Amino acid sequence: MEISVRRLSEVQIIQIRGTVRLGTAVDGFRQAMDDALAAGDTRLVVNFAEVPMIDSSGIGILVKAMASAKQRGGGVKLVNPSKFVVQTLKLIGVFNLFEIFEDENAAVQSFN
């Protein structure tokens, strides 16, 4: 799994490529989210366009980051999750916590 982080205006964009499941992939995802929040970024966009699969540990990181960001007036928005990612979010019962966008620009604009 690869993670790249970049900034667009006041929003931190986290791009993930590969499967997010328990082990080093989830550890890397957790680190990227924790680093963004620790730096004071509360507006996060996670691009899932190249993530075929995520497990419950990955979803747990998303939910924790969302709670942390919301407490500080921000949020976590998702871009282009695969059908599998959407089904997993629904199965765990957290799909409605997240706004989902077709592209990064729409997600970034939604924070304004």
Side-chain angles (χ1 to χ4, degrees):
M1 186 190 78
E2 292 175 36
I3 299 174
S4 62
V5 180
R6 66 187 187 287
R7 187 170 208 68
L8 191 56
S9 72
E10 298 293 308
V11 180
Q12 191 83 279
I13 298 172
I14 299 170
Q15 168 96 40
I16 303 170
R17 288 181 193 89
T19 300
V20 181
R21 68 174 143 222
L22 198 56
T24 56
V26 160
D27 294 341
F29 182 43
R30 178 181 298 113
Q31 191 65 54
M33 298 299 273
D34 287 351
D35 288 351
L37 291 164
D41 291 308
T42 58
R43 297 172 172 192
L44 306 176
V45 170
V46 182
N47 189 326
F48 277 117
E50 297 177 71
V51 177
M53 183 260 180
I54 188 168
D55 70 5
S56 59
S57 58
I59 303 282
I61 292 164
L62 271 179
V63 172
K64 182 176 173 252
M66 171 63 96
S68 189
K70 273 198 160 177
Q71 283 177 340
R72 296 187 268 163
V76 176
K77 318 253 176 148
L78 308 182
V79 173
N80 231 345
S82 68
K83 280 184 184 164
F84 187 93
V85 171
V86 169
Q87 287 173 335
T88 305
L89 289 165
K90 287 179 177 176
L91 184 69
I92 294 174
V94 297
F95 179 75
N96 293 335
L97 293 179
F98 299 96
E99 284 183 75
I100 299 192
F101 296 88
E102 296 283 318
D103 65 73
E104 288 178 357
N105 288 334
V108 169
Q109 293 297 317
S110 74
F111 279 111
N112 295 335

